[in-house]
Amino acid sequence: MHSPLSSFTIPLILLVQSYGVSAASWGYGYNDGPQTWKGDCQTGLRQTPIDIRTMDTDYALMDRVNFIGYDQVDEVTMQNNGHTVATAGFTEWKNPPYVSGGALQGKYFLQQFHLHWGKKDHEGSEHKIGGLSYPAELHLVHLKEGLTITEAMNKSDGLAVVGVFLNIAESGEPLAAMADKLDDVIYAGNETDIDRFRPRSLLPSVTDAFYRYEGSLTTPGCSEAVQWIVLAEPITITRKQLDQLRKIRNMEGEEHEKNFRPTFPLNGRRIRFRPAQYDRLRFCSSSYSLSFFITVLSTLLAKIIF
């Protein structure tokens, strides 16, 4: 297959090396954790993750997100980079997967995906919903068509990241292909190939409902170059698969206590929400139009009154 260098050039830049930040210079511990990260990580005003709360959210008329080429099956490479487990190789497929729609301007090609988790079930996801966390969160990282990674880092819409929450359940189908290989990447620097991988398996059955906001990477240097799409519907992970994730080792050879960043204030940003039931044809119907008009009017009145 492809060489590890070509597969992971972009993922490594995105995850462990932004503008001179080396893999070994940061982590999630007391001495090297998020509280010590420099630059935009400390001073940026559009940082990620955030706590998605009703009071900060507006209903928005956005198209669905189109996941093009996500049903393909091909080979990818999974690597433990010392901070997470990242899977890449999609850019070398004959028809690389990409996303469009969802208020994105253009096509964004899938570069890699990775996971965040914690040691306890009540924490692990980077984003929160009303102050509550899921036990893990998956990020699908996309690069805007026509841009280099350096160019993308300097644009507010250079990257599009799709966040997917993971909830503990009996079904482990979404992560099955990946879970079968997790034991091969326990230690930092380990990597392995997955012969047959279908990106669509990482998405919930319903992707119509999602949250949209402008934010940043959640790792150094926290570049504010990301259009975030956080899917409202989670996928499932089994207790066994979650235990496998929790055995992954960091740069020091220790199991991660956590590898998620704390949430940040919105600083004036608003979160847009597309409900699953929104449909242009239904919106044209009188009953749906009236219902939606009442919802919008109520939101506006609440803002004026309070």
Side-chain angles (χ1 to χ4, degrees):
M1 195 186 124
H2 40 72
S3 69
L5 179 60
S6 63
S7 300
F8 279 92
T9 298
I10 290 177
L12 283 175
I13 291 174
L14 290 176
L15 294 173
V16 302
Q17 186 183 351
S18 294
Y19 295 107
V21 180
S22 70
S25 66
W26 65 273
Y28 294 93
Y30 179 78
N31 294 319
D32 63 359
Q35 69 279 3
T36 70
W37 299 352
K38 307 298 182 182
D40 284 349
C41 301
Q42 298 296 330
T43 61
L45 297 178
R46 293 190 292 112
Q47 290 293 291
T48 300
I50 60 171
D51 184 7
I52 299 172
R53 303 179 300 172
T54 302
M55 67 183 71
D56 302 315
T57 303
D58 302 313
Y59 282 92
L61 306 183
M62 295 180 286
D63 290 333
R64 293 181 176 88
V65 180
N66 304 308
F67 293 91
I68 309 300
Y70 265 63
D71 277 313
Q72 296 178 79
V73 176
D74 210 326
E75 189 175 5
V76 292
T77 299
M78 182 167 64
Q79 184 192 64
N80 178 346
N81 60 28
H83 304 291
T84 184
V85 174
T87 301
F90 304 101
T91 58
E92 298 183 21
W93 290 11
K94 182 178 180 180
N95 297 299
Y98 67 89
V99 294
S100 64
L104 294 173
Q105 301 301 312
K107 298 178 181 179
Y108 288 76
F109 286 87
L110 180 60
Q111 307 297 305
Q112 54 104 320
F113 72 86
H114 59 271
L115 290 145
H116 298 272
W117 64 89
K119 276 290 187 181
K120 300 177 181 178
D121 293 349
H122 69 271
E123 63 180 15
S125 64
E126 295 209 298
H127 289 92
K128 293 182 178 181
I129 301 290
L132 300 177
S133 300
Y134 282 86
E137 183 174 340
L138 183 148
H139 291 163
L140 295 144
V141 183
H142 304 77
L143 178 66
K144 190 170 187 178
E145 183 179 31
L147 296 182
T148 66
I149 188 62
T150 301
E151 292 169 341
M153 289 292 189
N154 290 291
K155 293 181 177 293
S156 63
D157 64 346
L159 302 170
V161 181
V162 177
V164 185
F165 293 117
L166 279 73
N167 202 23
I168 301 172
E170 295 297 320
S171 172
E173 187 61 29
L175 296 184
M178 181 182 176
D180 288 343
K181 295 281 191 171
L182 280 177
D183 289 344
D184 296 338
V185 292
I186 294 294
Y187 294 96
N190 290 165
E191 66 176 50
T192 186
D193 287 343
I194 302 175
D195 294 332
R196 293 180 56 79
F197 188 82
R198 186 170 71 99
R200 185 63 181 80
S201 66
L202 302 173
L203 302 175
S205 57
V206 177
T207 59
D208 290 357
F210 57 85
Y211 302 92
R212 280 281 279 113
Y213 76 98
E214 292 187 349
S216 72
L217 295 176
T218 66
T219 56
C222 308
S223 302
E224 295 181 339
V226 182
Q227 295 292 309
W228 275 94
I229 298 171
V230 180
L231 299 184
E233 185 76 17
I235 60 173
T236 56
I237 184 173
T238 67
R239 172 67 60 186
K240 179 180 178 181
Q241 290 171 342
L242 189 55
D243 288 342
Q244 283 180 284
L245 272 182
R246 290 169 174 168
K247 291 177 182 177
I248 298 297
R249 306 298 180 96
N250 60 22
M251 286 291 187
E252 290 72 41
E254 302 170 341
E255 293 180 4
H256 292 279
E257 285 298 317
K258 60 181 181 180
N259 69 347
F260 60 90
R261 191 187 190 198
T263 58
F264 284 78
L266 284 169
N267 293 322
R269 288 174 290 175
R270 297 292 298 177
I271 304 163
R272 290 178 288 170
F273 175 63
R274 184 198 193 277
Q277 70 271 22
Y278 167 65
D279 181 273
R280 288 191 174 188
L281 293 177
R282 290 187 59 201
F283 182 67
C284 291
S285 71
S286 58
S287 61
Y288 189 79
S289 297
L290 179 61
S291 174
F292 190 85
F293 175 75
I294 292 172
T295 300
V296 173
L297 182 60
S298 299
T299 302
L300 291 174
L301 287 174
K303 288 181 180 179
I304 293 172
I305 295 172
F306 298 104

